[in-house]
Amino acid sequence: MTTVRQRRVGKGTEAAEDQPSEETNVKPDGKIPSDHTGGKLWNILSVTVGGIVAISLGLLTSVYVATLHENDLWFSNIKEVEREISFRTECGLYYSYYKQMIQAASIQQGLHGLVYDNKTESVRTINILERMNVYQEVFLSILYRILPIQQYLEPVYFYIYTLFGLQAVYVIALYVTSWLLSGTWLSGLLAACWYITNRVDTTRVEFTIPLRENWALPFFAVQIAAITYLLRTHLQPVQERLTLMAVFIATFLFSLTWQFNQFMMLIQALALFILDCLDMLPTAKVTWLYIIQISGLLLVCVLQFFNSMILGSLLISFNASVLIARTIQKNLKTGGLLNRLGKLILHVLLVLCLTLLINKFIKKILNLESDEHIFKFLKAKFGFGATRDFDANLYLCEEAFGLLPLNTFSRLSDTLLFYVYVFVLFLMAVAAVIVAFRNLSGSNQVKLMEKMEECTITLKPDAAYSLVHTVLFGCLALSTMRMKYLWTSHMCVFASFGLCSTEVWKLILKCVHLYTSQRAQVLKYSIPIITLLYISYKFWPGIMDELSELREFYDPDTVELMNWIKSNTPNTAVFAGSMQLLAGVKLCTGRTLTNHPHYEDKNLRERTKQIYQIYAKRSPEDVHGILRSFGTDYVILEDSICYERRHSRGCRLRDLLDVANGHIMDGLGENAPDLKPALYPRFCEEIKKNLPSYTTHFTRVFQNKTFHVYKLAKHK
């Protein structure tokens, strides 16, 4: 098991901005409609300073996470095999394709090796560019080969520095989004500081560098910033076209770099749909965003050799359904309250029915089953019946796919982020309900709403989008912990925007009958500054301590295993074992695998379940036959899986296999009445006794405290 240990000693105040609620005031794009030269210069200076602060914070964040990575692993001092092992599980698989492209005789041969790959899945040739989102590795490897930097920078550093550099893009995008929403770059500064001080819950880039989300989330943040700017009123046609182009490029890059892109953008499309139905966004702009989502995804589909999982995504079906339903149902936004509610209910039902029909039709035509495990997982997760499906239970038993732990909120509260977020969310939600009611009510309620507006705010389209975005992604994060990074980063943006918003303070002061423009401006700047001072005072010493803590990578058992494989097995050898370990085997040794952690393929899922019978109660003849059917030469058994204690009973891998095989689980506890005792003992335990029935088929060729490697007999 990979661990870290303590390292042994060996080798400015912003210029004041008045930002009333009208869109015609100071904008971060530098266009200031003012007739006074002094005012223009003042605002240009403010925008310049704000931009410099944004870039500086982005670069500091990159240096910060890079330093943490170096301090935690002593990356510059450890051996190459240790560096590669530090790319755990699927991270190692993705990085192996970058390494493969770097080591290829030419770029053309490298690409050919990816398109016709026969080492990732034994006895099967697959197209890596179709199956996996690895274009970023391809692009980066080509860039490394053509740039004159080989003698100055090792390939691994070029790779990780690129990822750390993207963190700068991420932070700058969050900063700009908050700035656009509030009208002051002080809000962006606060958002960036919250992102950094809540690093444990906003990013994991420093220890899962090649993970797809670390490539994708910076582009997603850029897309959100571009959408926020697009939804501002009074944009010039040229500005609007350029912004749409920026949204498209960011959407395309986000989709290209992460296999879960379609699910994230489906939530985004739902947010746009809700706001459009409530007449809180311009319909024309929403239509363009639907089209951009479809176009970006289809372009990725083409680049991934017409990946059927993309064509069968719910996002394409949903967006197409919305556009079709609009042409069928016209005049949705006319009439009184009850009339409009009736039309909207019919519209929603029509969109849902069309989505299901179109999606089912596409999947039927393409015979698509690649994403069925996700829907089985969701069905079981939300209580629509228990399941014995091995793949669904594999996800259900992983902490990353469980509910968001409550201690997350205590950590976020330490920086005041969660308190401010809930406060702003409540105020904005109330404002949204009032505005939505007014929009749906029509002319009959104008007088009533005019009275209500005396103690409320008018919700601008960009703020409305940010509100629904954070609510929907918050629901996703609460239900699935792995997705919290989509929510917590936007939480920083939303909370800082509310704290620096003139409209929010205007609402509060009016409700307590203390409103003056001067008081609103004082609160707009003083409260964020006080918050920044508090964060700096409380967390700066901790950050300095963290940066001074030195550790080193320490995993001698895995290092010993990888060195043994490289030295004692042929290059053509085929290895079977756990998905996570085999990713490291491919990266460190280049040997052929039977299975791997990229789980978005039905055949691979079935193959993995079969390979994992090495941890089930099966006969040596059965296990040998299964492994040889996949061309296996060596099988690696891990004690940490065979004798697993990390999960509770029912969630250990051996329990999942027992239930799937219809066998009674080990240990004290209940079993389903239809489960039967197994005819054979557990394979991974019994093989270590060297009984004749096992040694006939398997010969132990390597072992240490963690791993046992057996060579398979060629007979049968």
Side-chain angles (χ1 to χ4, degrees):
M1 178 179 292
T2 302
T3 60
V4 292
R5 62 181 182 182
Q6 288 300 124
R7 185 180 301 178
R8 300 183 301 273
V9 177
K11 310 178 182 180
T13 305
E14 176 188 6
E17 295 180 53
D18 257 359
Q19 179 67 20
S21 60
E22 292 80 17
E23 286 288 343
T24 54
N25 284 287
V26 180
K27 297 180 182 179
D29 60 6
K31 295 185 180 296
I32 305 99
S34 172
D35 294 330
H36 303 289
T37 304
K40 286 184 178 181
L41 292 174
W42 184 256
N43 285 298
I44 290 172
L45 176 63
S46 177
V47 169
T48 303
V49 172
I52 292 171
V53 172
I55 294 171
S56 301
L57 280 172
L59 294 175
L60 284 172
T61 303
S62 294
V63 173
Y64 175 52
V65 293
T67 304
L68 290 177
H69 176 258
E70 169 64 23
N71 288 357
D72 198 43
L73 300 177
W74 207 3
F75 200 74
S76 60
N77 190 71
I78 58 180
K79 300 174 183 177
E80 183 68 18
V81 65
E82 293 176 312
R83 291 177 181 175
E84 292 177 346
I85 293 171
S86 72
F87 296 137
R88 302 175 182 91
T89 65
E90 62 185 288
C91 298
L93 183 68
Y94 297 132
Y95 182 78
S96 73
Y97 299 118
Y98 171 76
K99 179 182 177 182
Q100 182 177 326
M101 283 289 296
I102 292 289
Q103 293 179 345
S106 66
I107 293 173
Q108 291 78 8
Q109 287 189 17
L111 290 172
H112 185 273
L114 293 180
V115 175
Y116 301 97
D117 180 278
N118 53 16
K119 294 184 75 67
T120 302
E121 295 177 18
S122 58
V123 300
R124 190 180 182 194
T125 298
I126 63 173
N127 185 342
I128 299 298
L129 296 181
E130 176 194 357
R131 284 271 298 276
M132 304 181 197
N133 298 70
V134 295
Y135 268 102
Q136 50 267 50
E137 276 76 21
V138 172
F139 171 76
L140 213 59
S141 63
I142 294 173
L143 198 61
Y144 182 80
R145 294 178 71 122
I146 62 177
L147 291 176
I149 57 174
Q150 288 88 343
Q151 57 182 332
Y152 308 110
L153 195 64
E154 296 177 57
V156 66
Y157 280 107
F158 185 66
Y159 186 90
I160 66 173
Y161 287 166
T162 299
L163 267 300
F164 293 144
L166 276 177
Q167 282 294 298
V169 176
Y170 198 3
V171 170
I172 291 170
L174 298 176
Y175 182 108
V176 170
T177 303
S178 187
W179 185 357
L180 287 168
L181 287 167
S182 66
T184 169
W185 59 259
L186 182 63
S187 175
L189 175 60
L190 183 56
C193 289
W194 263 329
Y195 177 85
I196 295 167
T197 52
N198 290 282
R199 176 185 55 79
V200 173
D201 295 299
T202 55
T203 183
R204 49 181 175 168
V205 66
E206 74 275 11
F207 60 90
T208 59
I209 299 173
L211 209 60
R212 303 299 84 179
E213 69 187 46
N214 295 329
W215 284 97
L217 291 184
F219 298 123
F220 192 54
V222 171
Q223 188 224 40
I224 300 302
I227 290 175
T228 302
Y229 186 77
L230 177 69
L231 294 177
R232 294 164 74 92
T233 57
H234 309 303
L235 286 184
Q236 297 297 321
V238 174
Q239 292 175 313
E240 191 167 310
R241 285 194 292 270
L242 290 174
T243 308
L244 284 170
M245 181 60 69
V247 173
F248 173 76
I249 293 171
T251 301
F252 165 69
L253 292 174
F254 170 68
S255 302
L256 188 66
T257 52
W258 198 12
Q259 68 267 31
F260 292 146
N261 58 70
Q262 53 183 285
F263 304 106
M264 304 306 106
M265 289 200 295
L266 177 62
I267 294 175
Q268 188 179 66
L270 286 172
L272 295 170
F273 178 71
I274 292 168
L275 291 167
D276 186 33
C277 287
L278 298 176
D279 204 15
M280 298 172 74
L281 292 183
T283 299
K285 292 182 178 180
V286 172
T287 302
W288 273 112
L289 292 173
Y290 286 143
I291 294 171
I292 284 173
Q293 284 190 333
I294 294 175
S295 303
L297 213 54
L298 289 178
L299 181 55
V300 171
C301 180
V302 172
L303 287 174
Q304 289 192 280
F305 296 80
F306 296 95
N307 186 315
S308 59
M309 190 173 175
I310 295 176
L311 292 173
S313 67
L314 275 174
L315 175 69
I316 289 180
S317 302
F318 177 79
N319 285 8
S321 300
V322 173
L323 297 175
I324 293 170
R326 275 192 189 164
T327 61
I328 297 173
Q329 277 185 297
K330 297 181 179 179
N331 302 319
L332 278 173
K333 299 181 180 180
T334 59
L337 178 61
L338 294 178
N339 191 348
R340 288 193 64 175
L341 284 176
K343 289 180 181 178
L344 283 180
I345 291 171
L346 289 175
H347 183 64
V348 170
L349 291 175
L350 178 60
V351 168
L352 291 177
C353 291
L354 280 173
T355 300
L356 294 176
L357 286 173
I358 293 173
N359 192 252
K360 192 171 183 65
F361 176 75
I362 293 174
K363 288 185 174 181
K364 188 74 173 176
I365 293 294
L366 299 175
N367 193 26
L368 178 62
E369 297 177 309
S370 296
D371 58 353
E372 64 177 7
H373 65 299
I374 297 175
F375 295 104
K376 288 180 182 177
F377 159 70
L378 293 174
K379 182 180 176 182
K381 182 178 179 66
F382 294 110
F384 296 103
T387 180
R388 290 185 179 177
D389 183 78
F390 176 77
D391 302 317
N393 284 327
L394 203 59
Y395 280 107
L396 286 169
C397 288
E398 281 300 319
E399 184 183 5
F401 292 94
L403 299 177
L404 189 67
L406 292 177
N407 60 10
T408 305
F409 301 107
S410 63
R411 289 194 302 269
L412 295 173
S413 300
D414 287 342
T415 61
L416 304 181
L417 173 60
F418 187 66
Y419 297 132
V420 175
Y421 175 78
V422 172
F423 168 70
V424 175
L425 184 64
F426 173 76
L427 291 175
M428 300 300 288
V430 171
V433 169
I434 294 171
V435 171
F437 181 73
R438 181 192 63 196
N439 291 347
L440 294 176
S441 297
S443 58
N444 294 333
Q445 302 291 332
V446 169
K447 291 183 180 179
L448 173 63
M449 297 312 301
E450 284 177 352
K451 291 181 180 179
M452 294 177 72
E453 280 188 358
E454 292 179 4
C455 61
T456 189
I457 60 173
T458 301
L459 199 62
K460 295 185 289 185
D462 53 359
Y465 170 75
S466 186
L467 170 66
V468 178
H469 176 99
T470 196
V471 169
L472 293 182
F473 278 96
C475 293
L476 178 66
L478 291 171
S479 65
T480 308
M481 187 187 78
R482 183 176 178 179
M483 298 302 173
K484 73 175 179 178
Y485 303 101
L486 287 153
W487 182 43
T488 49
S489 58
H490 194 266
M491 185 187 289
C492 301
V493 171
F494 193 76
S496 60
F497 143 66
L499 215 57
C500 298
S501 170
T502 302
E503 290 86 352
V504 169
W505 292 115
K506 180 178 178 180
L507 168 64
I508 296 170
L509 290 173
K510 278 194 172 184
C511 287
V512 295
H513 306 291
L514 293 174
Y515 174 73
T516 65
S517 61
Q518 291 80 8
R519 285 174 181 165
Q521 290 298 315
V522 168
L523 289 172
K524 173 182 176 178
Y525 292 109
S526 61
I527 299 299
I529 290 172
I530 292 171
T531 305
L532 282 168
L533 291 173
Y534 167 79
I535 294 172
S536 301
Y537 173 76
K538 184 170 183 180
F539 293 97
W540 182 257
I543 290 174
M544 291 297 101
D545 290 342
E546 189 179 34
L547 289 172
S548 63
E549 187 175 0
L550 303 178
R551 302 186 182 195
E552 68 173 316
F553 177 89
Y554 185 71
D555 190 0
D557 291 348
T558 306
V559 171
E560 185 184 13
L561 171 66
M562 298 304 171
N563 287 333
W564 180 86
I565 292 173
K566 285 193 289 187
S567 303
N568 297 277
T569 64
N571 293 334
T572 56
V574 178
F575 278 79
S578 69
M579 296 183 290
Q580 296 80 1
L581 179 63
L582 289 185
V585 170
K586 183 180 188 308
L587 171 58
C588 298
T589 72
R591 301 302 188 262
T592 304
L593 314 180
T594 55
N595 54 309
H596 54 83
H598 195 271
Y599 219 50
E600 278 69 51
D601 179 77
K602 184 180 181 181
N603 290 328
L604 177 66
R605 292 195 295 272
E606 292 175 349
R607 175 186 284 224
T608 299
K609 181 182 175 182
Q610 290 300 308
I611 297 295
Y612 276 6
Q613 297 303 310
I614 59 179
Y615 296 109
K617 298 171 182 176
R618 299 290 294 269
S619 69
E621 293 81 11
D622 287 347
V623 174
H624 182 269
I626 291 170
L627 295 177
R628 285 302 300 161
S629 70
F630 298 118
T632 307
D633 297 310
Y634 298 88
V635 59
I636 307 173
L637 296 172
E638 301 171 61
D639 286 347
S640 59
I641 298 178
C642 190
Y643 307 106
E644 181 184 358
R645 294 182 178 86
R646 184 169 67 94
H647 291 105
S648 59
R649 184 177 184 270
C651 267
R652 300 169 298 189
L653 178 62
R654 61 180 185 267
D655 297 334
L656 302 184
L657 290 164
D658 288 344
V659 171
N661 292 339
H663 297 156
I664 292 174
M665 293 183 290
D666 294 336
L668 299 176
E670 296 183 357
N671 287 281
D674 60 325
L675 295 179
K676 307 296 182 184
L679 297 176
Y680 301 96
R682 194 166 304 283
F683 177 84
C684 64
E685 295 177 356
E686 201 71 8
I687 193 175
K688 295 171 186 174
K689 298 178 182 179
N690 290 323
L691 299 174
S693 57
Y694 288 84
T695 56
T696 302
H697 305 288
F698 302 92
T699 303
R700 184 163 57 198
V701 291
F702 172 85
Q703 77 173 99
N704 60 23
K705 291 183 295 183
T706 305
F707 304 106
H708 302 261
V709 181
Y710 293 86
K711 185 176 182 179
L712 275 69
K714 297 293 185 180
H715 61 271
K716 296 187 181 180

